[in-house]
Amino acid sequence: MIHLSRIATRFTQLQQAQRKALIPYLVAGDPRQEVTVPAMHAMVAAGADIIELGVPFSDPMAEGPVIQLAHERALEHGVSLRDVIAMVAQFRQRDSDTPVVLMGYANPVEVMGPGVFAELASDAGVDALLTVDLPPEEGCEARQILASHGIDTILLLAPTTTEARVEYLCKHASGYLYYVSLKGVTGASHLDVNSVRDKLALIRQYTDLPVTVGFGIRDADSARAIAPLCDGVVVGSALVDSVSRQASAGVTEIQAMLDPMTGLLSAIRSAIDTV
Amino acid sequence: MTQQCYTNQPDAGGHYGPYGGRFVSETLIAALDELERSYAELKASASFLRELDHDLAHYVGRPSPLYFAERWSQRAGGARIFLKREDLNHTGAHKVNNTVGQGLLAKYSGKTRVIAETGAGQHGVATATIAARLGLSCQVYMGEEDIRRQSLNVYRMKLLGAEVIPVTSGSKTLKDAMNEAMRDWVTNVDDTFYIIGTVAGPHPYPMLVRDFQSVIGRETKLQCLEQTGGLPDALVACVGGGSNAIGLFYPFLDDASVAMYGVEAAGDGLETGRHAAPLCAGRPGILHGNRTYLMEDDNGQIIHTHSVSAGLDYPGVGPEHAWLKDVGRVEYVSITDDEALNAFRELTLVEGIIPALESSHALAYADKLARRMTSNEVIVVNLSGRGDKDIHTVADIDGIEF
């Protein structure tokens, strides 16, 4: 019997329905620990197909100011990789279908040890790991350990990635590919649709895996522009910003804190469903 | 006895044993590949090397003297202590050896803009200096806390035409400045050359910064032979990121008779946790593009460091040092703020040389080491920078306001 992963199942379903994946991102433990699991469920209710859960790190080098501050807030509450894994386990009590991808930096997993991580994460129902600062050249061993526990390794491709390297990365990726739409940090605003189109065409020559696009997608318009070119869009900073604005405005009730964020996510869902 | 070779690192992927490597986001891989290629080409280019040597001689003022600190040695009453006078370089520290080299790389690669991170401000000043000379636009990232501690260097950079960008994230010191410089580079990778100031960061930076700084050790070897008739018995240098130390050590690594000591900042004392000594009290991890010893907690978060000297206030260390520690070629030790301040005052009084607080850590350890050695033996201390920039810090400690 072939066992399909949650991610593969999800993309197969989307393809059959001719829909694009909507992939929201949030930082685990931001603005408070108890917000994260309700936020994940709310995201699913608002149309999320896959959730990328950011693992807080003290030095998030690829992030713009919005997500940097989210990492700092989460760390103020002492949120660790173990806590993040526990949040996924809690999420799984009510949702056994929505894939969850942990996104973060190499060091927390390095310190825990890839073997320990893979076992805990797999037990909790984590589907994939995306490590911003771990190119496949350095992550070979970790990738094999994760694969043996059924955890995919999501790799990034960038505007600067050469064709030879696109081929190399496609060979080592699993789950789906994540194309970083622009040269810059998360939340930047200089998205160039034409350059994304050209690069995705190139990437498609080397892989049958779904290709998603992130960085710089902030609202319904930008999502509508990008969605026809790819299999899914990742939205991060705009959502993180929405929740943090509510929190800093003094809203403490979780539902009310999340409402504007889920509203934005629903609007993006509608936008990409009409393309 | 078989002679082990210590000068064959890194491997093709930039690894020093298990350390080093290239842990960066995908966007930067192409830029690092390009840098590696252009460096390999230029390293073999006679005209590049001629220009580099010319600039080191006539702009930096090399070779820097190797000075026998006779009165200071007598006071310690053991080995003879020589000071490699990197403080006499243009801009007042060893940092310029590297920025001259990387500045030329930027020029030959056709980049119009350079960026840098800085802690004490010495690397920022050295970068701004070279940018002024080469007509490149220059932005320097500096932690807010360091801007406060090093206002003199901030103003120097401004006079040199550089823009100093305050970094307010995280601990507001060198590590955060480096994060911010990386973010800038990833955004402006087409026209920008990132001049990293120490032997850290992703491959090929630790290698090329080492190569540019190795002029220190090459000169020292010749000068020592000339002045003492032999090789030194011990080398001592402070280690923050570790560029002045590797610059002094590297040409001696395969000389088995030469002992080497890298001196980290023990801050308030290793036992207090308030220090910046990853090799002495940290453990391996991944930060800023390489695997190395780090100051980190059980969850892999980088922890705040403390040292009276801004230039040593960094939670990581160059990956080659991590390897040299593991293979046992270099001994890594630590010196507290107080010990460094004592050395600062003593060298000033006894030799008329005001050392940087960073270098004062090396001096303080050399003083201890000399007492265990005889007057037939020779220690070379890398006096990596001058202390003018630290006058405010020391005056503060003395309760003096200007």
Side-chain angles (χ1 to χ4, degrees):
Chain A
M1 190 186 86
I2 297 171
H3 173 72
L4 272 189
S5 70
R6 279 191 203 95
I7 290 175
T9 305
R10 180 52 48 102
F11 275 105
T12 306
Q13 292 162 346
L14 285 163
Q15 210 174 10
Q16 281 163 0
Q18 292 188 306
R19 293 175 86 205
K20 308 292 184 179
L22 176 57
I23 309 176
Y25 166 95
L26 72 167
V27 175
D30 170 51
R32 303 195 312 261
Q33 289 224 41
E34 62 273 22
V35 175
T36 301
V37 174
M40 292 167 77
H41 289 302
M43 284 171 159
V44 174
D49 298 300
I50 296 172
I51 290 174
E52 284 185 2
L53 189 57
V55 180
F57 183 50
S58 52
D59 295 80
M61 276 187 301
E63 314 298 347
V66 167
I67 294 180
Q68 277 175 50
L69 287 173
H71 281 254
E72 284 184 19
R73 284 190 296 268
L75 289 175
E76 275 166 28
H77 304 302
V79 176
S80 68
L81 179 54
R82 278 174 195 274
D83 295 331
V84 179
I85 293 169
M87 290 176 197
V88 177
Q90 198 191 335
F91 173 75
R92 282 276 170 258
Q93 292 171 8
R94 275 182 49 205
D95 188 325
S96 51
D97 300 327
T98 307
V100 177
V101 178
L102 297 192
M103 178 170 183
Y105 294 80
N107 203 46
V109 175
E110 166 97 354
V111 167
M112 179 180 277
V116 175
F117 169 78
E119 208 165 311
L120 293 176
S122 163
D123 288 349
V126 170
D127 298 286
L129 179 67
L130 192 171
T131 310
V132 177
D133 55 347
L134 191 70
E137 291 90 338
E138 302 288 357
C140 189
E141 195 190 328
R143 201 165 59 244
Q144 286 164 3
I145 294 171
L146 292 174
S148 72
H149 285 80
I151 296 176
D152 287 323
T153 297
I154 310 295
L155 294 182
L156 299 170
L157 297 129
T160 52
T161 306
T162 60
E163 180 165 358
R165 202 171 157 80
V166 167
E167 183 176 9
Y168 169 76
L169 292 170
C170 287
K171 225 184 319 188
H172 291 95
S174 54
Y176 58 91
L177 287 153
Y178 184 133
Y179 180 62
V180 175
S181 66
L182 48 79
K183 295 170 200 155
V185 292
T186 51
S189 57
H190 49 278
L191 188 60
D192 174 356
V193 176
N194 286 328
S195 86
V196 173
R197 179 181 295 119
D198 294 347
K199 200 73 179 194
L200 288 183
L202 176 71
I203 294 168
R204 299 270 196 211
Q205 291 174 25
Y206 293 100
T207 188
D208 294 324
L209 285 177
V211 184
T212 67
V213 176
F215 283 45
I217 298 170
R218 50 181 53 237
D219 52 21
D221 285 345
S222 47
R224 190 184 292 116
I226 292 294
L229 310 175
C230 61
D231 301 303
V233 294
V234 184
V235 190
S237 297
L239 306 177
V240 171
D241 190 41
S242 166
V243 177
S244 86
R245 275 172 198 277
Q246 289 293 98
S248 57
V251 178
T252 52
E253 199 267 313
I254 291 178
Q255 184 69 38
M257 195 190 290
L258 298 175
D259 273 346
M261 182 274 286
T262 50
L264 176 57
L265 200 58
S266 300
I268 295 173
R269 174 83 264 170
S270 308
I272 64 173
D273 282 346
T274 57
V275 297
Chain B
M1 190 180 117
T2 53
Q3 187 81 19
Q4 194 178 340
C5 178
Y6 296 99
T7 49
N8 55 1
Q9 307 285 324
D11 71 10
H15 302 99
Y16 306 79
Y19 304 107
R22 194 176 270 180
F23 295 84
V24 294
S25 64
E26 177 59 28
T27 310
L28 291 178
I29 297 281
L32 292 167
D33 280 341
E34 183 196 318
L35 176 60
E36 196 181 349
R37 259 194 317 273
S38 68
Y39 177 61
E41 262 169 43
L42 290 169
K43 203 163 65 165
S45 144
S47 67
F48 176 83
L49 293 176
R50 217 172 18 249
E51 196 169 347
L52 180 60
D53 284 346
H54 176 275
D55 287 357
L56 289 175
H58 302 288
Y59 191 65
V60 175
R62 302 207 71 90
S64 67
L66 182 69
Y67 166 73
F68 176 35
E70 195 170 359
R71 293 227 309 143
W72 199 58
S73 302
Q74 280 167 357
R75 198 197 37 78
R80 291 191 291 157
I81 303 173
F82 289 70
L83 307 178
K84 180 61 173 164
R85 298 291 307 274
E86 292 300 299
D87 61 315
L88 294 178
N89 292 339
H90 180 41
T91 73
H94 72 289
K95 292 291 186 188
V96 72
N97 302 326
N98 169 48
T99 60
V100 163
Q102 289 197 51
L104 281 182
L105 284 180
K107 184 180 114 174
Y108 277 75
S109 325
K111 305 287 184 185
T112 55
R113 175 176 180 264
V114 295
I115 55 170
E117 83 293 335
T118 197
Q122 289 304 109
H123 174 58
V125 166
T127 302
T129 297
I130 224 65
R133 173 155 183 267
L134 297 175
L136 303 168
S137 97
C138 177
Q139 289 180 311
V140 178
Y141 290 92
M142 189 167 184
E144 215 172 41
E145 170 69 14
D146 290 334
I147 287 180
R148 193 186 56 74
R149 290 195 278 193
Q150 300 289 344
S151 54
L152 193 64
N153 271 341
V154 173
Y155 188 57
R156 283 168 84 191
M157 287 184 265
K158 287 179 181 163
L159 286 174
L160 289 160
E163 187 189 350
V164 178
I165 304 176
V167 176
T168 56
S169 55
S171 60
K172 305 176 176 63
T173 60
L174 180 55
K175 88 172 169 72
D176 309 283
M178 198 153 178
N179 291 335
E180 212 50 43
M182 287 274 188
R183 291 177 186 125
D184 180 311
W185 197 30
V186 89
T187 307
N188 302 294
V189 65
D190 293 330
D191 69 348
T192 297
F193 191 104
Y194 179 16
I195 299 187
I196 292 185
T198 191
V199 285
H203 179 64
Y205 281 103
M207 176 181 77
L208 70 89
V209 176
R210 174 197 74 195
D211 292 353
F212 288 135
Q213 292 293 2
S214 291
V215 67
I216 301 172
R218 286 196 304 273
E219 286 176 7
T220 301
K221 207 174 216 183
L222 292 175
Q223 291 166 323
C224 200
L225 284 169
E226 206 176 277
Q227 293 182 35
T228 73
L231 292 175
D233 298 286
L235 304 174
V236 182
C238 65
V239 177
S243 70
N244 89 80
I246 208 80
L248 176 65
F249 296 168
Y250 189 72
F252 291 96
L253 284 176
D254 291 333
D255 296 313
S257 68
V258 182
M260 299 181 193
Y261 301 89
V263 186
E264 295 195 302
D268 292 341
L270 294 185
E271 70 287 354
T272 66
R274 285 176 46 75
H275 58 83
L279 289 168
C280 294
R283 59 179 177 185
I286 296 164
L287 179 70
H288 292 153
N290 66 101
R291 181 182 281 120
T292 188
Y293 279 81
L294 297 174
M295 304 263 301
E296 60 188 356
D297 68 16
D298 292 343
N299 296 313
Q301 308 295 348
I302 308 307
I303 54 181
H304 289 198
T305 52
H306 166 77
S307 168
V308 70
S309 86
L312 301 182
D313 209 347
Y314 180 66
V317 63
E320 192 158 16
H321 287 293
W323 178 72
L324 290 168
K325 171 191 161 74
D326 282 10
V327 298
R329 178 63 186 95
V330 178
E331 189 176 334
Y332 293 90
V333 296
S334 67
I335 283 291
T336 63
D337 285 356
D338 287 346
E339 291 172 315
L341 284 162
N342 282 340
F344 173 93
R345 293 180 202 278
E346 284 186 11
L347 192 80
T348 303
L349 282 174
V350 175
E351 294 287 351
I353 297 171
I354 303 179
L357 285 175
E358 290 78 6
S359 321
S360 300
H361 287 72
L363 292 164
Y365 187 76
D367 182 283
K368 288 187 184 177
L369 183 66
R371 293 167 198 268
R372 306 198 295 262
M373 294 166 70
T374 70
S375 60
N376 296 325
E377 294 176 295
V378 170
I379 297 174
V380 174
V381 179
N382 198 357
L383 192 62
S384 55
R386 67 182 184 216
D388 307 44
K389 69 179 175 58
D390 296 312
I391 296 301
H392 279 280
T393 304
V394 176
D396 256 5
I397 292 167
D398 288 344
I400 292 167
E401 265 181 63
F402 295 112

